[in-house]
Amino acid sequence: MKSSGFQESMPMGQGPHHPTVSALLRSRYALADVRLERISGGHSTQNYHAVDSSGSEVFVKVYPEGWDVRAEQHAIALTRWAGAHGVPTARLRESMDGELLACSGAVALSVWEWVPGDTVSSGFTPAEQAMVGQALGRIHAVFAHHRRSRTLSPWLEEWFSADLRETEARIDSLLGVVAGRDCRDEFDVIARSTLTDRRIMLAQVPALLAGLPRDLGTQVLHGDFTPPNLLFDEEGLAAVIDFRPPVPYMLAFELGRIAFDPRTVVLDEGWIDSAARLLTAYLRENTEIARRDVLVCGRVILVQMLRSLYGVEQHYLNPDPRQAALDEFWQLRHRAAGRLLENLEEVEAMLRDVSRRR
């Protein structure tokens, strides 16, 4: 089971948690003489492929110090709930004491069945689009009945009222960093061009927001339903992983995020038809979603793309170990935002058609 498309091997002893992880796996899960291979890609966690002396394979997620263990337990409960309703998920392996997570000092971890599969980094095939839409539709249909889906989203008002001047100031600051470099590399040239374009594109955001109703549907979601958290094998979608804790947010956001994923929008010439295929499969599973949430999902995710500086900010302010991949994603997402903005009228015509045909 992989948490992203980026992997690296780490021999035993090179990770800060290895001795404690091995001890926990032995004492709490009866996994002896474990060989650990680091899987790169988790944003906050350290992930491992573990094989014990009997050949048993598991996925181990190690949480950083200070992690909200109780919230993670709720996220695990969501994974199990989705799995019980036909969504392909990895199965949690409880400790010998029935714990969802095992803790020792500052280290906490969870253990999952190993799901052979790979993530998709170049866009979904038509069959994969249908499977992804179906899975998300079922997740949303099931999670609509979660008790927290009846509560207000803590982030909705913040999303609608985000200060564009603050985003412009962040762009100007990054452009200042680029301008102040004595020796500029290839990415500096790309960053200067894309950031300059993005500042101009931001002027479209107020009009885009004006076209959105403020009473969009919110409920408990997967929380990070993106290609790095979807594993495929030869038979199709093998597992949806990394459910986030149950905090209600916009249905239109999560739906638009996957239907108009940058990999689809940029790498698939028929990206609007591809989005329609995914959405059609989604609507077969989630028949209760309000039509307005479907109609605006493209606009919602476009606003999100335009306001986000994810990737380029990390490059200059806090480089990530996977920064080369984030640099590529910044460029891909910027191109996707431009294409979606240019074709928004056609996209919304497709959304009207799809929502009528359900």
Side-chain angles (χ1 to χ4, degrees):
M1 181 169 66
K2 306 174 184 178
S3 62
S4 85
F6 312 107
Q7 285 197 329
E8 63 182 12
S9 295
M10 178 181 288
M12 275 291 295
Q14 290 189 15
H17 296 311
H18 269 91
T20 305
V21 170
S22 297
L24 274 172
L25 293 176
R26 181 175 58 254
S27 64
R28 308 285 269 277
Y29 294 90
L31 295 169
D33 300 320
V34 171
R35 290 183 292 108
L36 293 173
E37 180 184 40
R38 176 74 181 275
I39 302 174
S40 177
H43 291 292
S44 302
T45 59
Q46 291 187 9
N47 303 324
Y48 300 92
H49 175 208
V51 183
D52 74 356
S53 56
S54 70
S56 176
E57 295 181 271
V58 294
F59 176 84
V60 181
K61 179 184 286 190
V62 182
Y63 306 96
E65 187 173 358
W67 191 268
D68 189 338
V69 172
R70 185 170 179 80
E72 188 63 23
Q73 290 172 333
H74 290 310
I76 290 171
L78 285 183
T79 307
R80 289 177 145 184
W81 196 17
H85 285 82
V87 178
T89 61
R91 288 196 299 271
L92 180 80
R93 178 180 292 194
E94 295 182 353
S95 74
M96 292 184 293
D97 295 326
E99 302 164 300
L100 302 183
L101 297 93
C103 303
S104 176
V107 177
L109 60 79
S110 58
V111 178
W112 305 77
E113 71 167 357
W114 179 257
V115 179
D118 294 286
T119 56
V120 173
S121 60
S122 57
F124 299 124
T125 66
E128 289 167 346
Q129 288 153 4
M131 286 183 279
V132 168
Q134 179 183 31
L136 184 60
R138 188 165 298 180
I139 289 169
H140 285 179
V142 172
F143 288 2
H145 301 286
H146 193 283
R147 61 178 181 80
R148 293 211 60 190
S149 288
R150 297 188 293 273
T151 63
L152 295 176
S153 171
W155 303 319
L156 187 61
E157 184 58 35
E158 178 184 352
W159 189 87
F160 272 101
S161 60
D163 188 353
L164 288 182
R165 290 172 299 181
E166 188 267 342
T167 306
E168 290 171 346
R170 286 159 55 205
I171 290 175
D172 291 342
S173 177
L174 292 171
L175 286 171
V177 172
V178 174
R181 290 168 72 95
D182 293 331
C183 183
R184 294 175 197 154
D185 59 23
E186 182 180 357
F187 187 78
D188 292 331
V189 176
I190 293 169
R192 182 172 60 182
S193 174
T194 51
L195 285 167
T196 300
D197 288 345
R198 181 62 62 85
R199 205 182 192 290
I200 295 170
M201 294 162 72
L202 275 176
Q204 304 294 321
V205 170
L208 292 169
L209 285 171
L212 291 173
R214 293 298 184 105
D215 59 344
L216 291 176
T218 64
Q219 64 163 71
V220 171
L221 309 171
H222 173 281
D224 194 15
F225 195 86
T226 55
N229 289 328
L230 304 172
L231 300 179
F232 291 86
D233 60 20
E234 293 180 354
E235 297 182 2
L237 183 60
V240 180
I241 62 174
D242 276 357
F243 286 73
R244 304 305 304 136
V247 180
Y249 199 49
M250 289 183 285
L251 282 156
F253 181 94
E254 188 154 82
L255 186 55
R257 190 182 187 193
I258 192 65
F260 302 104
D261 180 82
R263 301 159 188 83
T264 299
V265 175
V266 174
L267 303 177
D268 184 348
E269 286 302 316
W271 60 278
I272 296 178
D273 290 337
S274 295
R277 189 177 299 111
L278 186 151
L279 291 163
T280 298
Y282 172 94
L283 290 169
R284 291 195 193 103
E285 291 291 327
N286 188 16
T287 58
E288 298 302 316
I289 186 173
R291 187 167 184 255
R292 68 176 182 277
D293 293 318
V294 180
L295 293 176
V296 302
C297 70
R299 184 176 294 244
V300 165
I301 207 59
L302 173 58
V303 170
Q304 180 68 21
M305 286 183 183
L306 290 175
R307 295 192 303 206
S308 174
L309 302 178
Y310 179 68
V312 69
E313 274 193 320
Q314 283 77 6
H315 183 100
Y316 291 108
L317 303 181
N318 187 24
D320 187 275
R322 304 168 301 129
Q323 192 56 51
L326 290 184
D327 291 347
E328 292 179 5
F329 188 68
W330 160 255
Q331 297 172 66
L332 188 72
R333 202 180 193 195
H334 183 72
R335 291 174 61 193
R339 182 170 284 188
L340 189 51
L341 180 61
E342 182 179 351
N343 295 277
L344 186 59
E345 186 175 336
E346 184 179 353
V347 165
E348 294 190 329
M350 176 273 288
L351 293 171
R352 287 192 296 270
D353 181 57
V354 167
S355 63
R356 276 197 301 265
R357 287 190 280 112
R358 62 169 168 166

